[in-house]
């Protein structure tokens, strides 16, 4: 069994919707809870990049916040490095956050514009009361900047955030997390606001840092293409649940859950011959509200393969199907058989992306 | 075939206290009826500036410096604002602005905000306006009840559909779409792209589709126009840009290599070192030369013109047999 750094078990986060005064007078009996994260379990292994993929409203960011202890879970358990961290007091949270650090989405908003880069990097040392002389702190700052390849470090330390590009800021944000020697980083869409031309550069830097320091990452994104490039394993979330988990290549090459299949079909590929084609998406409509989750399999309202049982039977649990590949679909096997050509020709949407592969 | 829109050597600069930012610096192209042209490039390359310039509303302190924007052979730049409002803007050319769906005001219903456009640009009555709005909501796949809803009650995809409907009301021939799907999830993005294709066929529209995403451009644009630092560096057919043969300009090739592919060899994802140049004092010679790994002596001294390298395929690079 691989060495697990973070184990999440049956984690739930329900929010109570806001009620106005009149509603609360009328008696809040019919309160509908918003089930943002609805019973998820996963393990992140030491030295692994674990990707959490989903649309907006899937609960991926809430999961990230739970892992960061920015939110208290409604129920469930989190074990970090063998220690139960589900509920921590103020001191415990602070100690935990020293080991688990976060990189935010917006590199323009995540830094105080009145801090020089030196101050940005020194702040975590002050907050966490890291002991050391001025010279020792200086050394730590230089080391962190060198780790993210912002060299010569002296030159960058005196700059203001506005003098840096988005990519450089994201490097500083990474350096700020590394200065505390964390064991795990939570990165919520770290490259979505960075220009396409430099996205690969930042991801490569993050991966280098991860390999050098043996870190674990929780990488949260809606972007399957960077996830394939960046992560070891992927969990696909839909409406607060994990519907499929497996190794990144398996998830993308042989997706078993219809939702994952739809996500993959929807990704545009830079290939010619698609202008005249109306893409047939194997999914209906839009994501329902997490306050009103459908019965049975929560995906059945949008699923082109759904049968009566999908709505009626209890929600399918994650089941193993292949090497480390789990899915939560009642009909996964039948769908695979249907696609193999049991029922006529392959549907157009399966044929189309083959051009992109060439 | 006559072009719908012809842009000739357009220059539009932002006059700031630090100097003139040459956001659009000598751009020429033609848009044919029924065609979609994709404008693509990194942030700050002038895509959005070009979009608003075509609509005759450059963002202050932006001003036209030279060139012509010909709509039906009439240059719109010297026209008085009144005429532009009456004949051009929204009637001939409309635009879906970047982030428009998030700029709907939260205090008014969708219907009231959509009606504003109609009242502003035509003398339609209230009942007719409602009828027209309902009709167009139908075209974009929304129920008429949406008119009574407030923006927070709708999903991102629904808001974007409402914004697209608003851009089509006055039966324009050209619609400029500035990053219409950037804030949306992939599935909703694919649904919107399908919708745009259907609307284009139904209303015989021409699109100018602005995005930073070359993969998305492949789905919708007949011709791809790659911009870098205020200039067009390559303009070619979809089949040519995304075909087996490498594009004619190194910048396009590099941008394409930096575009993540779901089924490509992921380990080869590339990036372009360096950043886009300062447009107050752009580099000498080719503006891409400081970041180009194939640049040689001439690239740093002389600016390459945009010329036809193959029939119907333009590029501005000294490498194309003219070195």
């Amino acid at each position: 069994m691989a060495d697990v750094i973070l184990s999440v078990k049956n984690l739930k986060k329900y929010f109570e919707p806001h009620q106005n005064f009149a509603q609360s007078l009328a008696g809040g009996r019919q309160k509908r809870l918003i089930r943002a994260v609805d019973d998820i379990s996963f393990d992140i292994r030491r030295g692994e990049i674990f990707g959490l993929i989903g649309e907006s409203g899937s609960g991926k960011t809430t999961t990230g916040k739970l892992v960061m202890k920015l939110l208290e879970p409604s129920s469930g358990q989190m074990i970090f490095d063998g220690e139960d961290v589900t509920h921590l007091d103020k001191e415990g949270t602070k100690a935990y956050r020293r080991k688990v650090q976060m990189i935010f989405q917006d590199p323009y908003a995540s830094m105080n514009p009145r801090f020089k880069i030196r101050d940005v990097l020194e702040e975590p040392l002050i907050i966490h009361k890291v002991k050391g002389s001025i010279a020792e702190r200086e050394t730590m700052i230089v080391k962190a900047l060198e780790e993210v390849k912002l060299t010569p470090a002296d030159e960058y330390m005196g700059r203001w955030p506005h003098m840096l590009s988005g990519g450089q800021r994201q490097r500083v944000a990474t350096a700020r997390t590394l200065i505390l020697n964390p064991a795990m980083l939570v990165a919520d869409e770290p490259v979505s606001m960075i220009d396409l031309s430099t996205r690969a550069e930042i991801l490569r830097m993050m991966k280098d840092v991860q390999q050098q320091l043996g870190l674990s990452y929780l990488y949260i994104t809606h972007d399957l293409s960077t996830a394939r490039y960046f992560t070891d394993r992927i969990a696909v979330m839909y409406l607060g649940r994990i519907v499929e988990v497996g190794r990144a290549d398996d998830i993308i090459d042989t997706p078993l859950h219809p939702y994952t299949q739809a996500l993959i079909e929807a990704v545009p590929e830079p290939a010619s011959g698609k202008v005249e084609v109306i893409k047939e998406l194997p999914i209906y409509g839009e994501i329902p509200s997490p306050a009103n989750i459908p019965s049975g399999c929560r995906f059945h309202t949008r699923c082109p393969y759904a049968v009566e049982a999908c709505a009626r039977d209890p929600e399918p649990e994650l089941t193993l199907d292949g090497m480390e590949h789990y899915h939560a679909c009642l009909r996964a096997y039948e769908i695979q058989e249907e696609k193999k050509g049991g029922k006529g020709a392959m549907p157009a949407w399966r044929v189309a992306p083959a051009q992109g592969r060439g | 075939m006559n072009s719908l829109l012809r842009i000739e050597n357009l220059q539009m600069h932002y006059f700031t206290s630090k100097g003139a930012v040459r956001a659009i610096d000598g751009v020429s192209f033609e848009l044919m009826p029924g065609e979609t042209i994709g404008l693509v490039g990194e942030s700050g390359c002038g895509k959005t500036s070009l979009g608003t310039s075509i609509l005759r509303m450059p963002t202050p302190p932006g001003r036209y410096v030279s060139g012509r924007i010909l709509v039906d052979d009439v240059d719109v730049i010297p026209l008085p604002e009144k005429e532009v409002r009456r004949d051009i803007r929204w009637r001939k050319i409309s635009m879906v602005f970047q982030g428009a769906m998030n700029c709907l005001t939260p205090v008014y219903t969708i219907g009231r905000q959509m009606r504003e456009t109609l009242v502003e640009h035509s003398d339609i009555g209230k009942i007719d306006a409602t009828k027209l709005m309902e009709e167009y909501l139908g075209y974009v796949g929304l129920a008429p009840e949406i008119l009574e809803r407030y923006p927070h009650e709708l999903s991102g995809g629904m808001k974007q559909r409402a914004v697209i409907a608003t851009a089509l009301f006055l039966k324009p021939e050209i619609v400029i779409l500035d990053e219409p799907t950037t804030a949306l999830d992939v599935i909703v993005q694919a649904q919107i792209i399908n919708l745009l294709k259907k609307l284009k066929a139904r209303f015989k529209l021409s699109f100018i589709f602005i995005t930073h995403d070359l993969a998305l451009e492949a789905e919708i644009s007949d011709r791809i126009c790659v911009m870098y630092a205020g200039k067009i560096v390559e303009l070619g057919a979809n089949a040519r840009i995304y075909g087996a043969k490498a594009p004619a300009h190194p910048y396009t090739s590099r941008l394409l290599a930096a575009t993540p592919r779901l089924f490509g060899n992921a380990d080869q994802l590339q990036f372009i070192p360096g950043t886009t140049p300062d447009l107050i004092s752009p580099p000498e010679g080719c503006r891409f030369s400081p970041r180009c790994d194939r640049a040689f002596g001439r690239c740093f001294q002389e600016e390459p013109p945009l010329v036809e390298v193959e029939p119907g395929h333009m590029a501005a690079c000294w490498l194309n047999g003219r070195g």
Side-chain angles (χ1 to χ4, degrees):
Chain A
M1 197 57 208
D3 187 9
V4 171
I5 184 154
L6 178 78
S7 179
V8 168
K9 285 176 189 156
N10 304 99
L11 200 65
K12 290 181 188 175
K13 179 67 196 177
Y14 293 172
F15 293 101
E16 274 183 32
H18 177 75
Q19 283 187 308
N20 64 31
F21 186 59
Q23 282 170 329
S24 54
L25 274 187
R29 276 171 290 113
Q30 291 175 331
K31 253 190 274 178
R32 270 229 169 100
L33 289 174
I34 294 164
R35 295 190 275 163
V37 172
D38 200 11
D39 196 354
I40 62 167
S41 304
F42 60 88
D43 287 342
I44 299 177
R45 297 167 194 159
R46 211 176 286 277
E48 173 184 63
I49 304 184
F50 187 80
L52 207 52
I53 306 280
E55 292 176 272
S56 32
S58 64
K60 58 186 194 301
T61 294
T62 307
T63 308
K65 286 182 178 169
L66 288 168
V67 169
M68 271 319 292
K69 305 234 39 91
L70 293 166
L71 288 174
E72 272 292 290
S74 305
S75 73
Q77 202 184 22
M78 290 195 329
I79 293 168
F80 180 78
D81 225 353
E83 219 177 298
D84 190 325
V85 293
T86 321
H87 303 286
L88 293 173
D89 58 8
K90 212 175 154 194
E91 282 308 300
T93 308
K94 205 167 159 184
Y96 172 76
R97 290 215 189 114
R98 201 174 155 171
K99 288 178 270 180
V100 183
Q101 282 277 315
M102 184 154 190
I103 299 173
F104 295 92
Q105 177 175 12
D106 186 350
Y108 297 91
S110 66
M111 263 169 241
N112 188 332
R114 290 169 185 271
F115 276 21
K116 285 188 175 169
I117 300 308
R118 174 204 312 271
D119 306 322
V120 170
L121 293 177
E122 198 179 14
E123 208 185 14
L125 298 176
I126 298 168
I127 290 172
H128 289 278
K129 298 193 178 69
V130 176
K131 292 209 168 57
S133 65
I134 293 171
E136 277 166 343
R137 282 191 179 177
E138 189 94 2
T139 324
M140 290 166 87
I141 293 169
V142 169
K143 188 171 152 252
L145 281 172
E146 279 169 356
E147 269 165 350
V148 298
K149 310 273 179 330
L150 281 178
T151 49
D154 290 344
E155 201 182 292
Y156 283 98
M157 272 157 65
R159 294 201 188 168
W160 304 97
H162 72 84
M163 296 161 86
L164 305 182
S165 69
Q168 287 169 331
R169 283 172 191 232
Q170 221 48 330
R171 284 172 189 268
V172 173
T174 310
R176 177 170 61 183
T177 64
L178 296 179
I179 205 156
L180 292 167
N181 276 325
M184 195 172 106
L185 294 187
V186 177
D188 192 351
E189 302 274 18
V191 293
S192 70
M193 292 189 66
I194 295 176
D195 238 310
L196 197 75
S197 61
T198 36
R199 239 174 239 188
E201 192 180 2
I202 297 302
L203 289 177
R204 201 178 282 182
M205 178 275 294
M206 287 177 65
K207 206 163 187 166
D208 285 348
V209 165
Q210 181 257 345
Q211 279 164 357
Q212 271 166 28
L213 305 177
L215 298 175
S216 310
Y217 283 166
L218 174 61
Y219 176 68
I220 300 170
T221 186
H222 69 281
D223 181 4
L224 272 169
S225 355
T226 59
R228 167 165 222 174
Y229 167 74
F230 189 60
T231 63
D232 298 309
R233 283 193 305 145
I234 291 177
V236 181
M237 274 189 90
Y238 181 74
L239 216 49
R241 269 247 178 175
I242 293 176
V243 295
E244 186 162 0
V245 200
R247 289 189 294 213
D249 287 346
D250 293 343
I251 294 281
I252 286 161
D253 290 333
T254 52
L256 296 173
H257 196 284
Y259 176 64
T260 318
Q261 291 165 1
L263 270 184
I264 289 170
E265 289 312 319
V267 174
E269 286 276 304
S272 61
K274 296 191 292 187
V275 176
E276 304 299 326
V277 184
I278 301 274
K279 214 184 229 182
E280 259 186 65
L281 294 165
I283 189 166
Y284 307 126
E286 292 191 22
I287 193 164
S289 157
N292 197 3
I293 292 176
S295 67
C297 168
R298 58 191 67 202
F299 184 59
H300 85 262
T301 51
R302 302 179 71 194
C303 182
Y305 303 101
V307 293
E308 214 182 309
C310 296
R312 190 188 56 219
D313 289 3
E315 185 143 32
E317 297 287 329
L318 282 173
T319 47
L320 187 63
D321 188 351
M323 273 288 272
E324 295 186 90
H325 195 161
Y326 296 82
H327 66 80
C329 176
L330 276 181
R331 301 193 66 223
Y333 179 73
E334 289 160 48
I335 294 169
Q336 292 297 103
E337 290 300 300
E338 263 176 45
K339 278 200 195 141
K340 272 181 199 154
K343 286 188 183 169
M346 285 222 284
W349 59 268
R350 280 308 303 178
V351 182
Q355 296 161 340
R357 268 174 244 222
Chain B
M1 204 162 25
N2 275 338
S3 58
L4 266 183
L5 171 76
R6 196 160 85 236
I7 294 169
E8 289 177 354
N9 197 27
L10 184 69
Q11 282 188 306
M12 197 280 296
H13 298 170
Y14 292 107
F15 293 90
T16 68
S17 55
K18 288 177 192 153
V21 179
R22 293 152 76 172
I24 300 172
D25 212 11
V27 164
S28 307
F29 70 87
E30 279 181 291
L31 181 70
M32 295 299 178
E35 183 186 39
T36 300
I37 282 199
L39 290 183
V40 69
E42 288 170 87
S43 23
C45 71
K47 315 182 288 278
T48 298
S49 296
L50 186 53
T52 51
S53 295
I54 293 169
L55 211 55
R56 242 290 305 263
M57 45 190 299
T59 319
R63 284 205 305 272
Y64 297 106
V65 175
S66 69
R68 303 199 294 168
I69 299 171
L70 298 161
V71 179
D72 291 338
D73 292 322
V74 178
D75 185 4
V76 300
I77 295 178
L79 288 184
E81 174 67 15
K82 215 174 159 186
E83 267 178 58
V84 173
R85 278 186 165 227
R86 196 189 58 212
D87 302 330
I88 309 287
R89 201 179 293 144
W90 240 257
R91 294 209 153 262
K92 199 92 192 168
I93 309 174
S94 69
M95 184 159 177
V96 172
F97 292 93
Q98 179 165 20
M101 57 181 229
N102 297 322
C103 295
L104 294 166
T105 149
V107 294
Y108 294 150
T109 59
I110 298 288
R112 177 162 173 183
Q113 298 184 55
M114 287 174 77
R115 190 175 295 123
E116 241 169 50
T117 313
L118 278 173
V119 171
E120 195 65 27
H121 292 274
S122 69
D123 38 17
I124 193 168
K126 204 176 166 186
I127 296 164
D128 287 341
T130 307
K131 244 191 215 157
L132 191 72
M133 287 192 291
E134 289 180 354
E135 182 190 339
Y136 274 80
L137 283 178
Y139 295 141
V140 298
L142 292 175
E145 292 92 78
I146 298 291
L147 291 177
E148 304 305 318
R149 299 281 188 84
Y150 288 89
H152 75 268
E153 298 178 280
L154 308 185
S155 70
M158 289 159 91
K159 279 188 273 186
Q160 192 63 3
R161 283 168 195 263
V163 169
I164 291 169
T166 311
L168 298 180
F169 276 162
L170 296 159
K171 308 195 169 40
E173 290 169 29
I174 303 168
V175 184
I176 303 168
L177 299 144
D178 190 1
E179 302 270 13
T181 62
T182 305
L184 302 171
D185 286 306
V186 283
I187 290 172
V188 183
Q189 167 172 291
Q191 289 166 340
I192 296 284
I193 295 292
N194 279 345
L195 172 71
L196 288 172
K197 286 179 181 176
K198 286 177 192 160
L199 291 172
K200 189 187 154 185
R202 174 168 198 142
F203 297 105
K204 303 197 169 41
L205 299 168
S206 302
F207 286 155
I208 296 178
F209 192 93
I210 303 173
T211 178
H212 66 281
D213 185 353
L214 264 174
L216 190 61
E217 210 71 273
E219 302 266 349
I220 191 157
S221 297
D222 302 304
R223 284 195 295 156
I224 314 296
C225 175
V226 184
M227 288 187 72
Y228 186 77
K231 288 183 173 283
I232 295 176
V233 296
E234 184 160 5
L235 178 58
N238 182 305
R240 177 63 184 82
I241 301 284
Y242 299 103
K245 208 170 146 195
H249 199 285
Y251 179 60
T252 316
S253 308
R254 299 296 297 272
L255 212 51
L256 210 49
T259 305
R261 288 162 192 258
L262 207 45
F263 297 108
N265 188 346
D267 296 331
Q268 287 172 355
L269 192 56
Q270 300 292 319
F271 58 87
I272 311 175
T275 49
T276 46
D278 172 15
L279 292 181
I280 292 177
S281 48
E284 292 254 323
C286 170
R287 292 186 178 180
F288 185 57
S289 59
R291 298 172 79 189
C292 183
D293 57 349
R294 297 174 67 193
F296 57 98
R298 190 175 187 182
C299 302
F300 300 105
Q301 287 140 18
E302 250 183 289
E303 190 153 4
L306 185 69
V307 294
E308 199 160 39
V309 288
E310 291 160 3
H313 185 191
M314 318 269 282
C317 179
W318 290 124
L319 284 171
N320 289 297
R322 308 182 312 278

